[in-house]
Amino acid sequence: MEKQKEILKLYHDNHDKQIEEVFKADPNIPIHKFQTQKQFTVLHLACLHNNTKLIELTLTYCRNSNLINQTQIIEFINLQNKDGYTPLLMASFKGNIEIMKLLLQIGANSNIKNTTGLSVLHMSVQGDHVKASLFWINQNIPIDILDYNHQTPLICASFLGSQQMVNFLISWGAKLNAQTKDKGHTALHVATQQGHSRIVRKLLIKGIERRIKDKNGKTALDLAIDSKFKSIQTMIENKMGLAERCGLRQPDSKVEKNYMSMTIYLTLYCSSFLLTIAFTLPYLESFQGWYIATCCLTLLLTWVLVKRNPGFVPRSNKTLMDLLDAYSVDQICPDCSDVKPPRSRHCEICLKCVYKYDHHCPWLSNCIGEKNQYVFLAFLFTLIVSMVLQIVVQCQILSLQQEEEEVELGYVLQWITFYYTMIFGCLFILPVMLLFTVQIYNLIKGQTTYERYIERQGINRIQSRKASAEQQLKLIKSAASTDTSESEFKFTIKSQKKPLLKETELIV
């Protein structure tokens, strides 16, 4: 009994050198039978401390011992504590792939779940370990594996506020609209309830169904209103502001690449140009050359912007696992599964990363980035000039029309051209001038439109995080005071690292 307590204490305190000395002194200690009151074995404790050397030492000692055979070693590796955690589940929580591989080689069972049904993938997601999660997916663990409450890894990550984990799980094909068994909550419900605004936006952009109701008949929007999360409420309502309408910011919904806006722009611009040439310019003596030249140049630049590569980041031939070995997680684009260079961003419409990303222009159906930024600036300038000249031309023909006494067909067509082109010009010239001003300001500041937008949103994100922290604290306090059995409160406590470590206190 004293020997057991001594060795468990050494494992608990992570003293691998002292443990090695004890093993050398006595080769026949039945360490595979030693457990704390909460049924933590020495392997549980070693995995919890993330100590690869100690695990190797323990397994080598067991293999060399005459007290345990191979079958018993496998049973020892797969022993569960009171909460159903195996050493492999704890290694997954710590995200140590070396330990995970070592345990699997000896005979660890990756299909064992804990008492609430959490799998090895759930545990690596709880620990916020992208690389470990990818390892399990490569080991054929289903990405939408369910615990006993039907919580998928994506729902867990959304609940915990792990944005990077959410991004990667979605890119790997996680089911968006899965619902929990007890409350019927989707990933959007739990992210909304916890105030994780950036995760909410990501889920919406990826196309999660926002109208799904939980078992209380509430949508995520209802939960946002109840919790008074104004920014999340606006996202779910998908209100279109000026930034969204001008293409400076993607709406809070899934948008697929299409050519409708570009077709509308080209149809209006070209028809105005042709009508003016046919029914207005023949009656004028000035501005004809200037007007035709600027319009032709604008159309040429439009064609260049539509066809030209804006600066798409080329794909490498490395696997995602290799990239995660060489780079930090935040340097990798989850959607492209490749390195994301500085100042680049993944376009959710073009589905590619763009160097020095500015914005996706729906009127050109292309991104504005490093390789076409100055062409875009020239395009805006010529577009403004051509619209101004068109208005001037139409005003001149208006003065000539007042001198006409007879109403002829040409006179009627001139009036039709006047109203048509003036409406088009007045609708577009102010937004285009605003966009041109923004681009000039970006050039002076050395920033992109996206970078400036993110900078402005910084204060809102800080406020959102504070609100989220306050809301989560209220939920935990409420759970502790009412001794509720609701699974989400249990999950909150289980998911924290400190409470899990406290369970290793020795009571033998």
Side-chain angles (χ1 to χ4, degrees):
M1 188 66 177
E2 288 299 322
K3 193 73 171 178
Q4 176 179 339
K5 189 172 182 179
E6 177 193 349
I7 290 178
L8 286 173
K9 185 71 169 68
L10 290 174
Y11 270 92
H12 179 271
D13 296 336
N14 200 25
H15 295 315
D16 47 16
K17 291 183 180 179
Q18 295 179 33
I19 292 170
E20 187 175 8
E21 292 173 2
V22 171
F23 286 170
K24 286 180 180 178
D26 188 349
N28 292 307
I29 303 172
I31 58 171
H32 61 287
K33 295 181 180 180
F34 293 172
Q35 292 185 4
T36 69
Q37 188 173 340
K38 290 183 178 288
Q39 297 177 4
F40 277 77
T41 67
V42 291
L43 270 183
H44 282 99
L45 298 173
C47 289
L48 200 55
H49 287 301
N50 214 16
N51 192 330
T52 307
K53 179 183 176 182
L54 185 54
I55 292 170
E56 290 176 342
L57 178 65
T58 303
L59 293 174
T60 301
Y61 184 81
C62 287
R63 282 195 296 265
N64 296 335
S65 174
N66 297 323
L67 302 176
I68 183 172
N69 57 36
Q70 183 62 34
T71 302
Q72 290 172 321
I73 288 176
I74 294 174
E75 290 176 356
F76 170 51
I77 289 173
N78 291 310
L79 279 175
Q80 295 175 272
N81 67 4
K82 275 190 175 181
D83 293 315
Y85 292 104
T86 63
L88 185 60
L89 285 167
M90 290 191 167
S92 299
F93 179 74
K94 289 295 183 178
N96 193 318
I97 295 180
E98 186 179 356
I99 293 176
M100 287 154 51
K101 287 180 178 179
L102 178 60
L103 293 174
L104 288 172
Q105 287 171 2
I106 303 299
N109 187 347
S110 60
N111 295 317
I112 296 176
K113 297 182 177 181
N114 78 341
T115 54
T116 60
L118 295 178
S119 66
V120 287
L121 181 55
H122 283 96
M123 294 303 294
S124 61
V125 167
Q126 277 198 50
D128 197 19
H129 301 297
V130 172
K131 188 177 176 182
S133 299
L134 178 61
F135 172 83
W136 288 124
I137 291 170
N138 290 340
Q139 293 291 316
N140 297 320
I141 299 296
I143 193 169
D144 293 314
I145 189 170
L146 302 175
D147 69 0
Y148 297 146
N149 188 35
H150 289 189
Q151 291 180 122
T152 63
L154 178 61
I155 292 176
C156 294
S158 300
F159 183 88
L160 295 169
S162 177
Q163 187 183 2
Q164 287 181 334
M165 199 73 252
V166 168
N167 292 345
F168 278 97
L169 286 171
I170 293 174
S171 70
W172 295 335
K175 189 186 296 183
L176 294 177
N177 297 317
Q179 293 178 269
T180 59
K181 186 178 180 180
D182 61 344
K183 292 187 175 182
H185 280 175
T186 64
L188 184 59
H189 281 92
V190 297
T192 299
Q193 204 168 45
Q194 297 304 308
H196 302 313
S197 58
R198 300 183 75 178
I199 291 178
V200 169
R201 175 165 163 75
K202 186 70 175 183
L203 291 168
L204 293 171
I205 286 175
K206 290 298 183 178
I208 195 168
E209 178 53 61
R210 65 190 75 201
R211 292 173 293 182
I212 293 178
K213 294 182 179 181
D214 62 16
K215 291 192 175 181
N216 292 323
K218 290 191 174 185
T219 63
L221 177 59
D222 296 326
L223 296 180
I225 294 171
D226 292 344
S227 301
K228 297 181 180 179
F229 293 149
K230 298 293 185 183
S231 61
I232 294 178
Q233 179 183 339
T234 303
M235 288 179 192
I236 299 175
E237 289 174 341
N238 196 24
K239 292 181 178 178
M240 297 282 284
L242 181 62
E244 288 81 8
R245 295 185 187 279
C246 294
L248 301 179
R249 179 179 182 269
Q250 183 180 343
D252 297 312
S253 59
K254 188 174 183 179
V255 179
E256 295 182 353
K257 191 167 186 177
N258 64 76
Y259 297 91
M260 184 178 293
S261 297
M262 186 182 73
T263 303
I264 292 171
Y265 152 67
L266 286 174
T267 301
L268 290 172
Y269 189 85
C270 291
S271 58
S272 298
F273 176 52
L274 294 174
L275 286 171
T276 302
I277 289 177
F279 303 113
T280 303
L281 291 187
Y283 298 94
L284 299 178
E285 296 180 357
S286 57
F287 296 109
Q288 292 176 331
W290 284 104
Y291 176 72
I292 293 173
T294 53
C295 285
C296 290
L297 182 57
T298 301
L299 290 172
L300 176 63
L301 291 173
T302 300
W303 183 84
V304 171
L305 286 168
V306 170
K307 291 293 184 180
R308 187 168 184 174
N309 183 339
F312 292 128
V313 178
R315 299 286 182 92
S316 68
N317 296 322
K318 294 184 179 180
T319 64
L320 180 56
M321 190 62 82
D322 290 336
L323 293 173
L324 287 169
D325 286 332
Y327 300 90
S328 62
V329 176
D330 56 1
Q331 291 179 292
I332 297 172
C333 173
D335 295 284
C336 295
S337 296
D338 217 327
V339 178
K340 184 172 59 176
R343 301 191 74 184
S344 67
R345 180 180 181 266
H346 184 82
C347 176
E348 297 286 356
I349 301 173
C350 292
L351 303 179
K352 295 178 182 178
C353 283
V354 182
Y355 284 111
K356 202 176 175 184
Y357 175 88
D358 189 89
H359 71 285
H360 181 91
C361 182
W363 305 104
L364 300 169
S365 195
N366 202 359
C367 285
I368 305 303
E370 186 177 61
K371 291 186 177 180
N372 63 358
Q373 180 185 11
Y374 294 106
V375 178
F376 183 65
L377 202 61
F379 160 75
L380 292 177
F381 178 74
T382 59
L383 183 59
I384 291 170
V385 172
S386 67
M387 286 181 174
V388 170
L389 286 173
Q390 185 161 269
I391 292 171
V392 170
V393 164
Q394 296 301 332
C395 288
Q396 280 195 338
I397 201 67
L398 182 63
S399 63
L400 293 175
Q401 287 171 349
Q402 291 175 350
E403 299 175 3
E404 294 284 345
E405 295 181 358
E406 296 183 5
V407 178
E408 298 179 353
L409 178 60
Y411 180 78
V412 173
L413 292 174
Q414 285 176 12
W415 271 107
I416 292 173
T417 302
F418 171 79
Y419 284 116
Y420 182 81
T421 55
M422 288 296 283
I423 291 171
F424 165 71
C426 293
L427 281 175
F428 276 82
I429 193 166
L430 289 178
V432 174
M433 289 179 71
L434 175 63
L435 186 56
F436 181 71
T437 304
V438 168
Q439 291 297 318
I440 292 295
Y441 185 73
N442 290 347
L443 200 62
I444 295 170
K445 292 277 290 183
Q447 289 181 300
T448 64
T449 303
Y450 176 73
E451 288 168 346
R452 286 182 56 218
Y453 175 80
I454 289 298
E455 191 178 86
R456 288 199 303 271
Q457 293 299 309
I459 296 175
N460 292 337
R461 289 204 303 274
I462 292 171
Q463 291 173 344
S464 176
R465 289 193 191 108
K466 287 181 179 178
S468 173
E470 290 172 1
Q471 181 71 4
Q472 199 164 11
L473 184 60
K474 288 178 183 178
L475 288 173
I476 295 171
K477 286 182 177 178
S478 175
S481 63
T482 58
D483 194 26
T484 180
S485 62
E486 293 184 13
S487 63
E488 286 185 350
F489 292 141
K490 285 185 177 180
F491 184 78
T492 305
I493 296 169
K494 294 287 183 187
S495 67
Q496 302 302 318
K497 296 181 181 180
K498 289 186 178 179
L500 191 58
L501 286 169
K502 286 181 181 177
E503 291 183 359
T504 66
E505 293 175 358
L506 289 175
I507 307 175
V508 297

